Amino acid sequence: MAVLEYGGMVSPGALYGPHQAAYSKALTSSNGLPDGYPWTACCVGGGMQFYNAITLRYRQADLSASRYLTTDMEIDWPIALQDLEPHYSEIEHLLEISDANGFSAHLASPRGLMLSSAMQELGIKSRHIPLAIRPPGTSKGCIVCSACDELVCPTDAKASVLARNILDDSALPGTISVLYGCFVNRIELLNDNQAEAIECYVPLSSELIRIPVERVIVCANAIQTAALMLRSKSGHATRGIGNESGLVGRGLSFKISGYSVGHMEPADYGSNALAAHWGPHATVYTDEFYEHSDVPCKFGGLIYEANFPTPDENVGLVRLHYIAGEEPWSHNRIVLDEAVDRYGIPYIRFEHRTSANDRARIGFLADRADDVLRHLGALHIERAFAHSKGSSHLHGTMRAGRHPRTSVVDRLGRVHGFTNVHVMDGSVMNFAGNSNPTHTIMANARRMALSLE
Ligand SMILES: Cc1cc2nc3c(=O)[nH]c(=O)nc-3n(C[C@H](O)[C@H](O)[C@H](O)COP(=O)(O)OP(=O)(O)OC[C@H]3O[C@@H](n4cnc5c(N)ncnc54)[C@H](O)[C@@H]3O)c2cc1C
């Protein structure tokens, strides 16, 4: 079995921004410039190398969000939460997620403690965030060497595909080889329902190589997976693989999200809670507004502590992040542009706008975050909302369901009409969910992978 990866290996301590700068951008509908972000992270191990290890389970409402939201696409997942539960447990065990399966809980950071008290005083329930980071003071635990956001953990205290025993080749006839620096350009078809090879481009040697396959499992993220399927046009799939109904790339959904930063009284900067921040990006959160009658559509999301990536940047500031799953609409999509990048690969273009419901939902969460910051004594609050130029939470472009007219893959991730082409990443999530997605992407991939004979 071979894993083909475009990016290279990342070094311990590598920073996200400089590492990702080398990889091509997407065109955005607003200005036609390549300024959109079509990756979570391009490297062996993907976005998990840099992630914040927030590992919350989804809820049934995330899988049946049509209770709250209506769009022109099927929103509900074709499975129930109980289908994911054994896989969540296994992933929690493999990643050593704090406060689960007997692994120690993380203590709240000084800011987390302060935020937690403010929330309680406002009648908002606060909780500890489950993290895939071994807590400080435990065996091989976090050494609190920096602020963790956007950083490859230098000690492997944070879980990643490389830092934990996640890949299991014991049931395979051979081993798992990882070929990196290898861009999968297209899937070649033998006939109308079977892949026979993949074509890869190796930028380092400018070579185009062809690899025969028995089966292809695509896990390239919700933007890149759809782009690969669209690039794979041939006489057997004239609109791209799985795209007979024109659905590939549609339903592109990010998290709607934003940050509020409270600027605190300078006289208080010396306090422990307003000093530089070291350690995990976030330790406390509230899910009070996940499903709540006061929220627009009655469906909100999370608000959590969100420290800046460099320790000193946090002095005198308290930052909160709010996220919720975006409504999937068919007009939100990725397409391939006619313009090509320096390797001759068509640019990905986003066509995306945020709905009025989503603006209202995230506005509600932002107001509640600001209540907390004001309660803490913030002198002024700055807000920043994420936009449609990309996100590291990517979902929805290869929708899962029973009918080829309304979905691209079946409940096991197999592309309708194909015997050996599967998709097992965030693109098969019909609703993005109101929580951070990686834990769920992994649990769902494990569920689908175990169905392969
Ligand atoms: C700074 C940061 C913080 C985050 N924090 C959290 C968090 O706390 N909790 C959470 O749940 N999530 C978090 N995320 C999101 C998380 O990283 C993603 O949800 C997760 O990585 C998705 O995993 P994936 O395997 O589906 O996709 P990816 O991680 O994107 O992996 C896909 C891989 O495919 C490769 N690829 C794509 N196209 C091709 C091609 N054509 N040929 C060859 N290779 C290709 C990419 O290079 C990439 O390595 C964070 C992300 C970032 C960047």
Side-chain angles (χ1 to χ4, degrees), residues 4-7 16 39-48 50-55 149-150 182-185 219-221 224 228 231 392-393 425-426 436-439 441:
L4 300 169
E5 167 58 51
Y6 182 29
Y16 182 66
W39 311 97
T40 55
C42 189
C43 58
V44 175
M48 271 184 98
F50 296 95
Y51 86 149
N52 292 313
I54 296 170
T55 35
D149 190 26
E150 302 191 353
C182 184
F183 182 81
V184 180
N185 192 29
C219 306
N221 88 35
Q224 299 295 341
L228 170 58
R231 285 195 301 269
S392 57
H393 295 193
D425 59 17
N436 313 60
T438 309
H439 191 194
I441 293 173

Side-chain angles (χ1 to χ4, degrees), residues 225-353:
T225 293
L228 170 58
M229 297 300 177
L230 294 173
R231 285 195 301 269
S232 302
K233 275 186 194 165
S234 69
H236 298 298
T238 51
R239 302 176 75 184
I241 292 177
N243 197 30
E244 269 175 36
S245 303
L247 276 178
V248 170
R250 291 189 186 273
L252 169 65
S253 8
F254 307 122
K255 291 288 167 9
I256 40 169
S257 72
Y259 291 93
S260 285
V261 182
H263 293 249
M264 312 305 283
E265 177 66 61
D268 297 336
Y269 284 13
S271 81
N272 198 17
L274 295 180
H277 171 81
W278 301 84
H281 172 67
T283 56
V284 301
Y285 76 111
T286 182
D287 58 359
E288 181 89 23
F289 307 108
Y290 216 92
E291 295 170 80
H292 194 288
S293 53
D294 291 350
V295 188
C297 305
K298 304 190 180 357
F299 205 35
L302 303 178
I303 303 174
Y304 57 84
E305 175 193 1
N307 295 291
F308 286 101
T310 45
D312 288 346
E313 216 178 339
N314 293 287
V315 174
L317 305 177
V318 181
R319 185 163 75 143
L320 287 169
H321 191 201
Y322 18 91
I323 66 167
E326 181 174 50
E327 291 183 336
W329 285 92
S330 63
H331 56 251
N332 285 341
R333 61 174 181 159
I334 70 118
V335 293
L336 299 181
D337 202 79
E338 283 173 7
V340 295
D341 70 10
R342 62 192 156 134
Y343 302 126
I345 295 159
Y347 274 111
I348 292 169
R349 181 155 50 85
F350 299 166
E351 294 180 352
H352 180 274
R353 58 179 188 267

Side-chain angles (χ1 to χ4, degrees), residues 68-71 256 295-299 324-329 331-332 352-365 385:
Y68 299 112
L69 306 173
T70 309
T71 75
I256 40 169
V295 188
C297 305
K298 304 190 180 357
F299 205 35
E326 181 174 50
E327 291 183 336
W329 285 92
H331 56 251
N332 285 341
H352 180 274
R353 58 179 188 267
T354 306
S355 72
N357 276 345
D358 284 347
R359 283 196 298 276
R361 292 168 63 221
I362 203 66
F364 177 93
L365 293 177
F385 288 97

